[in-house]
């Protein structure tokens, strides 16, 4: 049961980060009482604190009602509190303070635990970064909690920073949120990238570029299709490697975007078969868009004949730039470009 819960937490963090990166995080903005949110977050972590004999001290000043997403802000505080408890030794103390400073509301979470080395401070909020990443480290996790907290605070128009005097001297995480009176934040309810119907706000001109997209997952296929169509590309869809080979032969695309993991025949087999051809279709530039994201997976994809390897979930701008590059639409060029395998 403990391992299942740990795995669930990891999966939830990965999904949350995926939503943030792809711009699909939505804020449910409403009237909030920050003191109640802080209390709720503390209640959630009390069992963990009691198990480690860590004392939690509250210093909550008066704060007027304001606008925000209560669930997301509680998630931010939970992440900061859980992080503080994890790195505080038995018998230690974690202090939570809430106060108004000029036009901002400030929440600080301080501990007297392990502290942070000065050289690591700039990287505390980076995804998958941990101060001790060795196989013998004492603390588990993916290194996503603080990155998620930072992203959610920024969606509220705020910022978060960390202070520490060094290893063994504790750390303080400070969240600053702009004081937005009730009724003034409705226009900013969504993530900036989710506020419009567009998948990607950065436009790349792909008019006239013929793109064949091969993927057995309907959701992924439709997302790539929508992204490319918004940039005026001519898109053809295939749901299997067999269909991809047939359509490549019939339509001679300028660029192929293909998944790797597909039933019956995978993307590597499809590309090897395509590269075995001696005509122009066999030279079509190709992008591997796949969840197989290890370095050895990238090597296999390149050896099979792909020019670019992109890991899912991919940033829209990154995929568009790759298609534009292979399709000959960078630096103002418009001619068809082929790349020798």
């Amino acid at each position: 049961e403990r391992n299942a819960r740990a795995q669930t937490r990891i999966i939830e963090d990965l999904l949350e980060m995926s939503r943030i990166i792809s711009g699909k995080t939505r804020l449910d903005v409403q009237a909030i009482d920050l003191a109640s949110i802080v209390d709720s977050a503390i209640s959630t972590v009390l069992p963990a604190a009691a198990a480690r004999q860590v004392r939690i001290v509250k210093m909550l000043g008066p704060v007027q009602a304001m606008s925000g997403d209560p669930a997301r802000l509680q998630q931010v505080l939970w992440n900061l509190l859980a992080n503080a408890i994890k790195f505080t030794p038995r018998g230690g103390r974690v202090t939570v303070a809430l106060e108004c400073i000029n036009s901002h509301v400030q929440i600080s979470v301080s501990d007297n635990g392990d502290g942070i080395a000065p050289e690591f401070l700039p990287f505390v909020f980076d995804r998958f970064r941990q101060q001790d990443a060795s196989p013998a480290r004492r603390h588990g996790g993916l290194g996503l909690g603080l990155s998620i907290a930072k992203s959610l605070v920024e969606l509220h128009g705020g910022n978060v920073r960390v202070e520490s005097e060094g290893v063994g001297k504790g750390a303080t995480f400070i969240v600053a949120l702009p004081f937005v009176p009730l009724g003034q934040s409705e226009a900013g309810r969504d993530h900036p990238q989710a506020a419009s119907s567009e998948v990607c706000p950065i436009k790349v001109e792909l008019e006239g570029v013929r793109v064949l997209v091969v993927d057995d997952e309907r959701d992924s296929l439709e997302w790539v299709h929508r992204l490319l169509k918004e940039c005026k590309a001519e898109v053809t869809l295939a749901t299997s490697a067999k269909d991809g080979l047939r359509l490549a032969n019939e339509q001679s695309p300028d660029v192929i975007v293909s998944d790797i993991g597909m039933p019956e025949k995978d993307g590597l087999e499809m590309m090897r078969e395509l590269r075995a051809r001696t005509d122009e279709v066999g030279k079509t530039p190709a992008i591997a868009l796949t969840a197989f994201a290890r370095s050895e997976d990238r090597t296999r994809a390149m050896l099979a004949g792909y020019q670019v390897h992109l890991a899912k979930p991919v940033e829209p701008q990154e995929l568009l730039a790759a298609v534009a590059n292979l399709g000959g639409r960078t630096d103002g060029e418009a001619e068809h470009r082929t790349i020798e395998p």
Side-chain angles (χ1 to χ4, degrees):
E1 180 184 2
R2 184 171 59 253
N3 287 332
R5 287 180 177 176
Q7 188 176 36
T8 299
R9 181 72 249 171
I10 289 172
I11 293 170
E12 288 174 350
D13 281 350
L14 288 170
L15 290 174
E16 184 67 64
M17 185 52 65
S18 176
R19 284 189 290 267
I20 290 170
I21 291 173
S22 61
K24 295 180 180 178
T25 302
R26 180 178 175 84
L27 297 183
D28 182 15
V29 179
Q30 56 187 271
I32 59 171
D33 179 359
L34 270 179
S36 297
I37 291 174
V38 172
D39 281 333
S40 297
I42 291 174
S43 298
T44 303
V45 300
L46 273 178
R52 294 181 58 85
Q53 299 176 7
V54 172
R55 185 164 56 99
I56 298 180
V57 179
K58 293 190 298 183
M59 301 173 60
L60 308 184
V63 176
Q64 298 179 18
M66 56 184 289
S67 295
D69 185 328
R72 294 301 191 181
L73 290 176
Q74 185 170 334
Q75 183 180 359
V76 169
L77 290 170
W78 183 91
N79 276 335
L80 295 180
L81 285 165
N83 183 76
I85 293 169
K86 181 168 68 172
F87 290 100
T88 299
R90 289 184 176 276
R93 184 185 70 255
V94 172
T95 302
V96 184
L98 171 65
E99 58 185 328
C100 279
I101 300 179
N102 298 325
S103 60
H104 284 74
V105 178
Q106 181 170 293
I107 307 168
S108 61
V109 178
S110 305
D111 65 72
N112 60 348
D114 293 354
I116 303 170
E119 61 270 19
F120 187 73
L121 279 174
F123 309 106
V124 166
F125 296 102
D126 288 1
R127 295 194 297 270
F128 303 108
R129 290 292 292 269
Q130 295 172 316
Q131 184 167 230
D132 180 7
S134 68
R137 61 191 174 129
R138 293 187 295 122
H139 305 290
L142 290 179
L144 284 177
L146 295 178
S147 180
I148 290 172
K150 179 176 183 290
S151 298
L152 294 178
V153 169
E154 290 175 347
L155 287 181
H156 282 82
N159 62 78
V160 58
R161 67 183 191 276
V162 60
E163 298 175 353
S164 177
E165 295 182 2
V167 176
K169 297 183 179 181
T172 300
F173 288 84
I174 301 169
V175 175
L177 296 169
F179 182 77
V180 183
L182 298 178
Q184 292 188 10
S185 60
E186 295 302 310
R189 179 179 295 257
D190 291 337
H191 185 289
Q193 293 185 11
S196 74
S197 61
E198 296 180 337
V199 176
C200 178
I202 297 179
K203 288 302 178 186
V204 177
E205 184 56 56
L206 296 176
E207 186 172 4
V209 177
R210 301 185 303 275
V211 184
L212 171 62
V213 184
V214 186
D215 200 322
D216 64 313
E217 290 290 340
R218 177 60 61 180
D219 288 345
S220 178
L221 198 68
E222 291 179 355
W223 181 82
V224 175
H225 176 252
R226 180 181 171 192
L227 178 66
L228 294 173
K229 290 293 286 185
E230 283 185 1
C231 294
K232 301 180 181 179
E234 298 175 13
V235 186
T236 303
L237 304 179
T239 57
S240 68
K242 180 180 178 182
D243 287 342
L245 288 169
R246 176 178 58 80
L247 290 170
N249 184 58
E250 293 176 358
Q251 304 193 7
S252 299
D254 297 310
V255 180
I256 295 173
V257 178
S258 176
D259 188 20
I260 296 296
M262 293 183 286
E264 297 183 9
K265 180 181 292 185
D266 65 20
L268 299 178
E269 294 179 75
M270 181 191 77
M271 192 51 54
R272 293 190 192 102
E273 191 170 329
L274 191 69
R275 295 300 184 225
R277 300 177 55 157
T278 57
D279 57 6
E280 287 300 307
V281 174
K283 300 177 182 178
T284 306
I287 300 168
L289 181 59
T290 173
F292 291 97
R294 301 171 304 174
S295 59
E296 52 263 45
D297 297 320
R298 181 180 185 276
T299 300
R300 278 194 285 267
M302 305 300 275
L303 290 174
Y306 289 96
Q307 279 74 36
V308 178
H309 177 276
L310 299 178
K312 296 179 180 178
V314 67
E315 293 266 10
Q317 303 94 307
E318 188 176 8
L319 177 58
L320 291 175
V323 172
N325 183 41
L326 296 185
R329 291 306 171 90
T330 55
D331 298 326
E333 298 174 6
E335 73 274 8
H336 175 72
R337 179 185 300 169
T338 59
I339 299 177
E340 293 292 340

